[in-house]
Amino acid sequence: MRVCADIVLGASLFALAKANFDCANYITLCSSIAGYEAYKDCAATIAVNNATDMACRITHLGKAATDAATHCPHAAPTAAAPCNTEMLKTFDCAAYVSRCSSITGYQAYPDCAATVAANGANGMACRIQHLGKAATDAATHCPHAAPNATGPCQMEALASPTPSPTPSASPTPAPSATPSPTPSASPTPAPSATPSPTPATNSTMTSTDESRTQFGLGVLTAFVAVVKSLVNV
């Protein structure tokens, strides 16, 4: 009996894996689970991602019927492990340019890669589907895949891409405020203290006068002595 049950379960899971992802069942089983993530355009998602592309999500959505808390996150647009490596198709920027750039009214994505990074497969599901259709009818579907989409995709609002950080300009270092060296004040040489020549005193003249006076007195004394001697004779 256990073997039969396993066979039935395996067959059921195999059948689920061959079926497309059931958008309605995902909402029914998972919308009440904490952390629920809705498919923004589930029909568009399964239109470009077949049963093989979403096999892991399809399998875990089946398991969510009995354990939604565990398996709903595995079936979400941004799937948790073990389905986190199952990548949904994203918007093909190169294909958009190739298919649509020659169409009247063509709108280029200013930064397509950044737009895709900001919105992912879930945020651009409608544009992804119509870009696929543009391979056979570009005139009709390129406007639906444009940045400002028309028709069925006009309600698919895109998140603005995060601009790349602008390198900050390195501030120019302010000139160093090192003061210019003040020239050292050379000391003014003090005037030499050479004494002014002292005028000669009259000492020399006085000595000469005294010598002359003494000589005169000596002559006079001798003269008086001679006179006296003559008188006595």
Coordinates of all heavy atoms in Angstrom, one line a residue, residues 27-109:
I27 N -2.8 32.2 -5.7 CA -3.5 33.2 -4.9 C -4.3 32.5 -3.7 O -4.3 33.0 -2.6 CB -4.4 34.1 -5.7 CG1 -3.6 34.9 -6.7 CG2 -5.2 35.0 -4.9 CD1 -4.4 35.6 -7.8
T28 N -5.1 31.5 -4.1 CA -5.9 30.8 -3.1 C -5.1 30.2 -2.0 O -5.5 30.4 -0.8 CB -6.7 29.7 -3.8 OG1 -7.5 30.3 -4.8 CG2 -7.6 29.0 -2.8
L29 N -4.0 29.6 -2.3 CA -3.2 28.9 -1.3 C -2.3 29.8 -0.5 O -2.0 29.5 0.7 CB -2.4 27.7 -1.9 CG -3.2 26.6 -2.6 CD1 -2.2 25.6 -3.2 CD2 -4.0 25.9 -1.5
C30 N -1.8 30.8 -1.1 CA -0.7 31.6 -0.6 C -1.0 33.0 -0.1 O -0.2 33.6 0.6 CB 0.5 31.6 -1.6 SG 1.0 29.9 -2.1
S31 N -2.0 33.6 -0.6 CA -2.2 35.1 -0.3 C -2.4 35.4 1.2 O -2.1 36.5 1.6 CB -3.4 35.6 -1.1 OG -4.6 34.9 -0.7
S32 N -2.7 34.4 2.0 CA -2.9 34.6 3.4 C -1.6 34.3 4.2 O -1.6 34.5 5.4 CB -4.0 33.8 4.0 OG -3.8 32.4 3.8
I33 N -0.6 33.9 3.5 CA 0.6 33.5 4.2 C 1.5 34.7 4.4 O 1.6 35.6 3.5 CB 1.4 32.4 3.4 CG1 0.5 31.2 3.2 CG2 2.7 32.0 4.0 CD1 0.1 30.5 4.5
A34 N 2.1 34.8 5.6 CA 3.0 35.9 5.9 C 4.2 35.9 4.9 O 4.7 34.9 4.5 CB 3.6 35.7 7.3
G35 N 4.4 37.2 4.4 CA 5.5 37.3 3.4 C 5.1 37.0 2.0 O 5.9 36.9 1.0
Y36 N 3.7 36.9 1.8 CA 3.2 36.6 0.4 C 3.7 37.6 -0.6 O 3.6 38.9 -0.4 CB 1.7 36.6 0.5 CG 1.0 36.6 -0.8 CD1 1.0 35.4 -1.6 CD2 0.3 37.7 -1.3 CE1 0.3 35.4 -2.9 CE2 -0.3 37.7 -2.6 CZ -0.3 36.5 -3.3 OH -0.9 36.5 -4.5
E37 N 4.1 37.2 -1.7 CA 4.5 38.0 -2.9 C 3.6 37.7 -4.1 O 3.6 36.6 -4.5 CB 6.0 37.8 -3.2 CG 6.5 38.7 -4.3 CD 7.9 38.4 -4.8 OE1 8.5 37.3 -4.3 OE2 8.5 39.1 -5.6
A38 N 2.9 38.7 -4.5 CA 2.0 38.5 -5.7 C 2.8 38.5 -7.0 O 3.8 39.2 -7.1 CB 0.9 39.5 -5.7
Y39 N 2.3 37.8 -8.0 CA 2.7 37.9 -9.3 C 2.0 39.1 -9.9 O 0.7 39.2 -9.9 CB 2.4 36.7 -10.2 CG 3.3 35.5 -9.9 CD1 3.1 34.6 -8.8 CD2 4.5 35.3 -10.7 CE1 4.0 33.6 -8.6 CE2 5.3 34.3 -10.4 CZ 5.1 33.4 -9.4 OH 6.0 32.4 -9.1
K40 N 2.7 40.1 -10.4 CA 2.1 41.4 -10.9 C 1.3 41.1 -12.1 O 0.3 41.8 -12.4 CB 3.1 42.4 -11.1 CG 3.8 42.9 -9.7 CD 4.8 44.0 -9.9 CE 5.4 44.4 -8.6 NZ 6.4 45.4 -8.7
D41 N 1.7 40.2 -13.0 CA 1.0 39.8 -14.1 C 1.3 38.4 -14.4 O 2.1 38.0 -15.2 CB 1.4 40.7 -15.4 CG 0.5 40.5 -16.5 OD1 -0.2 39.4 -16.6 OD2 0.4 41.4 -17.4
C42 N 0.6 37.5 -13.6 CA 0.9 36.1 -13.6 C 0.6 35.5 -15.0 O 1.4 34.6 -15.4 CB 0.0 35.4 -12.5 SG 0.5 33.7 -12.2
A43 N -0.4 35.9 -15.7 CA -0.7 35.3 -17.0 C 0.5 35.6 -17.9 O 0.9 34.8 -18.7 CB -2.0 35.9 -17.5
A44 N 1.0 36.8 -17.9 CA 2.1 37.2 -18.7 C 3.4 36.4 -18.4 O 4.2 36.0 -19.2 CB 2.4 38.7 -18.6
T45 N 3.5 36.2 -17.0 CA 4.7 35.4 -16.6 C 4.7 34.0 -17.1 O 5.7 33.5 -17.7 CB 4.8 35.4 -15.0 OG1 4.9 36.7 -14.6 CG2 5.9 34.5 -14.6
I46 N 3.5 33.3 -17.0 CA 3.5 31.9 -17.5 C 3.4 31.9 -19.0 O 3.7 30.8 -19.6 CB 2.3 31.2 -16.9 CG1 0.9 31.7 -17.3 CG2 2.4 31.1 -15.4 CD1 -0.3 30.9 -16.9
A47 N 3.1 33.0 -19.7 CA 3.1 33.0 -21.2 C 4.6 32.9 -21.7 O 4.8 32.4 -22.8 CB 2.5 34.3 -21.7
V48 N 5.5 33.4 -20.9 CA 6.9 33.4 -21.4 C 7.8 32.4 -20.6 O 8.9 32.2 -20.9 CB 7.6 34.8 -21.3 CG1 6.8 35.7 -22.3 CG2 7.5 35.4 -19.9
N49 N 7.2 31.8 -19.5 CA 7.9 30.8 -18.8 C 7.0 29.6 -18.7 O 6.0 29.5 -18.0 CB 8.2 31.3 -17.3 CG 9.1 32.5 -17.3 OD1 10.3 32.4 -17.3 ND2 8.5 33.7 -17.2
N50 N 7.4 28.5 -19.5 CA 6.6 27.3 -19.6 C 6.8 26.4 -18.4 O 7.4 26.8 -17.4 CB 6.9 26.6 -20.9 CG 8.3 26.2 -21.0 OD1 9.0 25.9 -19.9 ND2 8.8 26.0 -22.2
A51 N 6.2 25.2 -18.5 CA 6.2 24.3 -17.3 C 7.6 23.9 -17.0 O 7.9 23.7 -15.8 CB 5.4 23.0 -17.7
T52 N 8.5 23.8 -17.9 CA 9.9 23.5 -17.6 C 10.6 24.6 -16.9 O 11.3 24.4 -15.9 CB 10.7 23.2 -18.9 OG1 10.0 22.1 -19.6 CG2 12.1 22.8 -18.6
D53 N 10.3 25.9 -17.4 CA 11.0 27.0 -16.8 C 10.5 27.2 -15.3 O 11.3 27.8 -14.5 CB 10.6 28.3 -17.6 CG 11.1 28.3 -19.0 OD1 12.2 27.7 -19.2 OD2 10.4 28.8 -19.9
M54 N 9.3 26.8 -15.0 CA 8.8 27.0 -13.6 C 8.5 25.7 -12.9 O 7.7 25.6 -12.0 CB 7.5 27.8 -13.7 CG 7.6 29.2 -14.4 SD 6.1 30.2 -14.3 CE 6.0 30.6 -12.6
A55 N 9.2 24.6 -13.3 CA 9.0 23.3 -12.8 C 9.1 23.3 -11.2 O 8.2 22.6 -10.6 CB 10.0 22.3 -13.4
C56 N 10.1 23.9 -10.7 CA 10.3 23.9 -9.2 C 9.1 24.6 -8.5 O 8.5 24.1 -7.6 CB 11.6 24.5 -8.8 SG 12.0 24.4 -7.1
R57 N 8.7 25.7 -9.0 CA 7.6 26.5 -8.5 C 6.3 25.7 -8.6 O 5.5 25.7 -7.7 CB 7.5 27.8 -9.2 CG 8.6 28.9 -8.8 CD 8.4 30.1 -9.6 NE 9.3 31.2 -9.2 CZ 10.5 31.4 -9.6 NH1 11.1 30.5 -10.5 NH2 11.2 32.4 -9.2
I58 N 6.1 25.1 -9.7 CA 4.9 24.3 -9.9 C 4.8 23.1 -8.9 O 3.8 22.9 -8.3 CB 4.8 23.7 -11.4 CG1 4.6 24.9 -12.4 CG2 3.7 22.7 -11.5 CD1 4.9 24.5 -13.8
T59 N 5.9 22.5 -8.7 CA 6.0 21.3 -7.7 C 5.7 21.8 -6.3 O 4.9 21.2 -5.6 CB 7.4 20.7 -7.8 OG1 7.6 20.1 -9.1 CG2 7.5 19.6 -6.7
H60 N 6.2 22.9 -5.9 CA 6.0 23.4 -4.6 C 4.7 24.1 -4.4 O 4.2 24.1 -3.3 CB 7.2 24.3 -4.1 CG 8.4 23.5 -3.9 ND1 8.8 23.0 -2.6 CD2 9.4 23.1 -4.7 CE1 9.9 22.4 -2.7 NE2 10.3 22.4 -3.9
L61 N 4.1 24.6 -5.4 CA 2.7 25.1 -5.3 C 1.8 23.9 -5.1 O 0.8 24.0 -4.3 CB 2.3 25.8 -6.6 CG 0.9 26.4 -6.6 CD1 0.7 27.3 -5.5 CD2 0.6 27.1 -8.0
G62 N 2.1 22.7 -5.7 CA 1.3 21.5 -5.4 C 1.4 21.1 -4.0 O 0.4 20.8 -3.3
K63 N 2.6 21.2 -3.4 CA 2.9 20.8 -2.0 C 2.2 21.8 -1.1 O 1.9 21.5 0.1 CB 4.4 20.7 -1.7 CG 5.1 19.6 -2.5 CD 6.5 19.5 -2.1 CE 7.2 18.4 -2.8 NZ 8.7 18.3 -2.5
A64 N 2.0 23.0 -1.5 CA 1.4 24.1 -0.7 C 0.0 23.8 -0.3 O -0.6 24.3 0.6 CB 1.5 25.4 -1.4
A65 N -0.6 22.8 -1.1 CA -2.0 22.5 -0.8 C -2.1 21.9 0.6 O -3.2 22.0 1.3 CB -2.5 21.5 -1.8
T66 N -1.0 21.2 1.1 CA -1.1 20.6 2.5 C -0.1 21.4 3.4 O -0.2 21.1 4.7 CB -0.6 19.2 2.4 OG1 0.6 19.1 1.8 CG2 -1.7 18.4 1.6
D67 N 0.8 22.2 2.9 CA 1.7 22.9 3.8 C 2.1 24.3 3.2 O 3.2 24.4 2.7 CB 2.9 22.1 4.1 CG 3.8 22.7 5.2 OD1 3.5 23.8 5.6 OD2 4.9 22.1 5.5
A68 N 1.1 25.2 3.2 CA 1.3 26.4 2.5 C 2.4 27.3 3.1 O 3.2 27.9 2.4 CB 0.0 27.2 2.5
A69 N 2.5 27.3 4.5 CA 3.5 28.1 5.1 C 4.9 27.7 4.7 O 5.8 28.6 4.5 CB 3.4 28.0 6.6
T70 N 5.2 26.4 4.4 CA 6.5 26.0 4.0 C 6.7 26.2 2.5 O 7.8 26.7 2.1 CB 6.7 24.5 4.3 OG1 6.6 24.3 5.7 CG2 8.0 24.0 3.8
H71 N 5.7 25.9 1.7 CA 6.0 25.8 0.2 C 5.6 27.0 -0.6 O 6.1 27.2 -1.7 CB 5.3 24.5 -0.3 CG 5.9 23.3 0.2 ND1 7.1 22.8 -0.1 CD2 5.4 22.4 1.2 CE1 7.4 21.7 0.5 NE2 6.4 21.4 1.4
C72 N 4.7 27.9 0.0 CA 4.3 29.1 -0.8 C 5.6 30.0 -1.1 O 5.7 30.5 -2.2 CB 3.3 29.9 -0.1 SG 1.6 29.2 -0.3
P73 N 6.5 30.1 -0.2 CA 7.7 30.9 -0.5 C 8.5 30.3 -1.7 O 9.2 31.1 -2.4 CB 8.5 31.0 0.8 CG 7.4 30.8 1.9 CD 6.4 29.8 1.3
H74 N 8.4 29.0 -1.8 CA 9.2 28.4 -2.9 C 8.5 28.6 -4.3 O 9.2 28.5 -5.3 CB 9.2 26.8 -2.7 CG 9.7 26.5 -1.3 ND1 9.5 25.3 -0.7 CD2 10.5 27.2 -0.4 CE1 10.1 25.2 0.5 NE2 10.7 26.4 0.7
A75 N 7.2 28.9 -4.3 CA 6.5 29.1 -5.5 C 6.3 30.6 -5.9 O 5.7 31.0 -6.9 CB 5.1 28.5 -5.4
A76 N 6.9 31.5 -5.1 CA 6.7 32.9 -5.2 C 7.6 33.5 -6.4 O 8.5 32.8 -6.9 CB 7.2 33.7 -4.0
P77 N 7.3 34.7 -6.9 CA 8.1 35.3 -8.0 C 9.5 35.3 -7.6 O 10.4 34.9 -8.5 CB 7.5 36.7 -8.1 CG 6.1 36.6 -7.6 CD 6.1 35.6 -6.5
T78 N 9.9 35.8 -6.5 CA 11.2 35.8 -6.0 C 11.3 34.6 -5.0 O 11.1 34.7 -3.8 CB 11.6 37.1 -5.2 OG1 11.3 38.2 -6.0 CG2 13.1 37.1 -4.9
A79 N 11.5 33.4 -5.6 CA 11.4 32.1 -4.9 C 12.5 31.9 -3.9 O 13.7 32.3 -4.1 CB 11.4 31.0 -5.9
A80 N 12.1 31.3 -2.8 CA 13.1 30.9 -1.8 C 13.6 29.5 -2.1 O 13.0 28.8 -3.0 CB 12.4 30.9 -0.4
A81 N 14.7 29.1 -1.5 CA 15.2 27.8 -1.8 C 14.2 26.7 -1.4 O 13.4 26.9 -0.5 CB 16.5 27.6 -0.9
P82 N 14.1 25.7 -2.2 CA 15.1 25.2 -3.2 C 14.8 25.7 -4.6 O 15.5 25.3 -5.6 CB 14.9 23.7 -3.2 CG 13.4 23.5 -2.9 CD 13.1 24.6 -1.9
C83 N 13.9 26.7 -4.8 CA 13.6 27.2 -6.1 C 14.3 28.5 -6.5 O 14.0 29.1 -7.5 CB 12.1 27.3 -6.3 SG 11.2 25.8 -6.1
N84 N 15.2 28.9 -5.6 CA 15.8 30.2 -5.8 C 16.7 30.3 -7.0 O 17.1 31.4 -7.5 CB 16.6 30.6 -4.5 CG 17.6 29.6 -4.1 OD1 17.4 28.4 -4.2 ND2 18.8 30.1 -3.7
T85 N 17.1 29.1 -7.5 CA 18.0 29.1 -8.7 C 17.2 29.0 -10.0 O 17.8 29.0 -11.1 CB 19.0 27.9 -8.6 OG1 18.3 26.7 -8.5 CG2 19.9 28.1 -7.4
E86 N 15.9 28.9 -9.8 CA 15.0 28.8 -11.0 C 14.7 30.2 -11.5 O 13.8 30.9 -10.9 CB 13.8 28.0 -10.7 CG 12.8 27.8 -11.9 CD 11.6 27.0 -11.5 OE1 10.8 27.5 -10.8 OE2 11.6 25.8 -11.9
M87 N 15.4 30.7 -12.4 CA 15.3 32.1 -12.8 C 14.3 32.3 -13.9 O 14.3 31.7 -14.9 CB 16.7 32.7 -13.3 CG 17.8 32.4 -12.4 SD 17.6 33.0 -10.7 CE 17.5 34.8 -11.0
L88 N 13.3 33.3 -13.6 CA 12.3 33.6 -14.6 C 13.0 34.5 -15.7 O 13.9 35.2 -15.4 CB 11.2 34.3 -13.9 CG 10.4 33.5 -12.8 CD1 9.3 34.4 -12.2 CD2 9.8 32.3 -13.4
K89 N 12.4 34.4 -16.9 CA 12.9 35.3 -18.0 C 12.8 36.7 -17.7 O 11.7 37.2 -17.2 CB 12.2 34.9 -19.3 CG 12.6 33.5 -19.8 CD 11.9 33.2 -21.1 CE 12.2 31.7 -21.5 NZ 11.5 31.4 -22.8
T90 N 13.8 37.5 -17.9 CA 13.8 38.9 -17.7 C 13.7 39.7 -19.0 O 13.8 39.0 -20.1 CB 15.0 39.4 -16.9 OG1 16.2 39.0 -17.7 CG2 15.1 38.8 -15.5
F91 N 13.5 40.9 -19.0 CA 13.4 41.8 -20.2 C 14.8 41.8 -20.9 O 15.8 42.0 -20.3 CB 13.1 43.2 -19.8 CG 12.7 44.1 -20.9 CD1 11.4 44.1 -21.5 CD2 13.7 45.0 -21.5 CE1 11.1 45.0 -22.5 CE2 13.3 45.8 -22.5 CZ 12.1 45.8 -23.0
D92 N 14.7 41.5 -22.2 CA 15.9 41.4 -23.0 C 16.2 42.8 -23.7 O 15.6 43.1 -24.7 CB 15.8 40.3 -24.1 CG 17.1 40.0 -24.8 OD1 17.9 40.9 -24.9 OD2 17.2 38.9 -25.3
C93 N 17.1 43.5 -23.1 CA 17.4 44.9 -23.6 C 17.9 44.9 -25.1 O 17.5 45.7 -25.9 CB 18.5 45.6 -22.7 SG 17.9 45.8 -21.0
A94 N 18.8 43.9 -25.4 CA 19.3 43.8 -26.7 C 18.3 43.5 -27.8 O 18.2 44.1 -28.9 CB 20.5 42.8 -26.8
A95 N 17.3 42.6 -27.4 CA 16.3 42.2 -28.3 C 15.3 43.4 -28.5 O 14.8 43.6 -29.6 CB 15.5 41.0 -27.7
Y96 N 15.1 44.2 -27.5 CA 14.3 45.4 -27.6 C 14.8 46.4 -28.6 O 14.1 46.9 -29.5 CB 14.1 46.1 -26.2 CG 13.3 47.4 -26.3 CD1 11.9 47.3 -26.6 CD2 13.9 48.6 -26.2 CE1 11.1 48.5 -26.6 CE2 13.1 49.8 -26.2 CZ 11.8 49.7 -26.5 OH 11.0 50.9 -26.6
V97 N 16.1 46.6 -28.5 CA 16.8 47.5 -29.5 C 16.7 46.9 -30.9 O 16.4 47.6 -31.9 CB 18.2 47.8 -29.1 CG1 18.9 48.6 -30.1 CG2 18.3 48.5 -27.7
S98 N 17.0 45.7 -31.0 CA 17.1 45.0 -32.3 C 15.7 45.0 -33.0 O 15.6 45.3 -34.2 CB 17.6 43.6 -32.1 OG 17.5 42.9 -33.4
R99 N 14.6 44.7 -32.2 CA 13.3 44.6 -32.8 C 12.6 45.9 -33.0 O 11.7 46.0 -33.8 CB 12.5 43.6 -32.0 CG 13.0 42.2 -31.9 CD 12.3 41.3 -30.9 NE 13.0 40.0 -30.7 CZ 12.7 39.1 -29.8 NH1 11.7 39.4 -28.9 NH2 13.3 38.0 -29.8
C100 N 12.9 46.8 -32.1 CA 12.0 48.0 -32.0 C 12.6 49.3 -32.4 O 11.9 50.3 -32.6 CB 11.5 48.1 -30.6 SG 10.6 46.7 -30.0
S101 N 13.9 49.4 -32.5 CA 14.6 50.7 -32.8 C 14.2 51.4 -34.1 O 14.3 52.6 -34.3 CB 16.1 50.6 -32.7 OG 16.6 49.7 -33.6
S102 N 13.7 50.5 -35.1 CA 13.4 51.1 -36.4 C 11.9 51.4 -36.5 O 11.4 51.8 -37.5 CB 13.7 50.0 -37.5 OG 13.0 48.8 -37.3
I103 N 11.1 51.1 -35.4 CA 9.7 51.4 -35.4 C 9.4 52.8 -35.1 O 10.0 53.5 -34.2 CB 9.0 50.5 -34.4 CG1 9.3 49.0 -34.7 CG2 7.5 50.7 -34.3 CD1 8.8 48.5 -36.0
T104 N 8.4 53.4 -35.8 CA 8.0 54.8 -35.6 C 7.6 55.0 -34.1 O 6.8 54.1 -33.6 CB 6.9 55.2 -36.5 OG1 7.3 55.0 -37.9 CG2 6.5 56.6 -36.3
G105 N 8.1 56.0 -33.5 CA 7.7 56.3 -32.1 C 8.6 55.5 -31.1 O 8.2 55.4 -29.9
Y106 N 9.6 54.9 -31.6 CA 10.5 54.1 -30.7 C 11.0 54.9 -29.5 O 11.4 56.1 -29.6 CB 11.7 53.6 -31.5 CG 12.8 53.0 -30.7 CD1 12.7 51.8 -30.1 CD2 14.0 53.7 -30.5 CE1 13.7 51.2 -29.3 CE2 15.1 53.2 -29.7 CZ 14.9 51.9 -29.2 OH 16.0 51.4 -28.4
Q107 N 10.9 54.3 -28.3 CA 11.5 54.9 -27.1 C 12.6 54.1 -26.6 O 12.4 52.9 -26.3 CB 10.4 55.0 -26.0 CG 9.2 55.8 -26.4 CD 8.1 55.7 -25.3 OE1 8.5 55.6 -24.1 NE2 6.9 55.7 -25.6
A108 N 13.8 54.7 -26.4 CA 14.9 54.0 -25.8 C 14.8 54.0 -24.3 O 14.3 55.0 -23.7 CB 16.2 54.6 -26.3
Y109 N 15.3 53.0 -23.7 CA 15.4 52.9 -22.2 C 16.7 53.7 -21.9 O 17.8 53.3 -22.4 CB 15.5 51.5 -21.7 CG 14.2 50.8 -21.6 CD1 13.7 50.1 -22.7 CD2 13.5 50.8 -20.4 CE1 12.4 49.5 -22.6 CE2 12.3 50.2 -20.3 CZ 11.7 49.5 -21.4 OH 10.5 48.9 -21.3

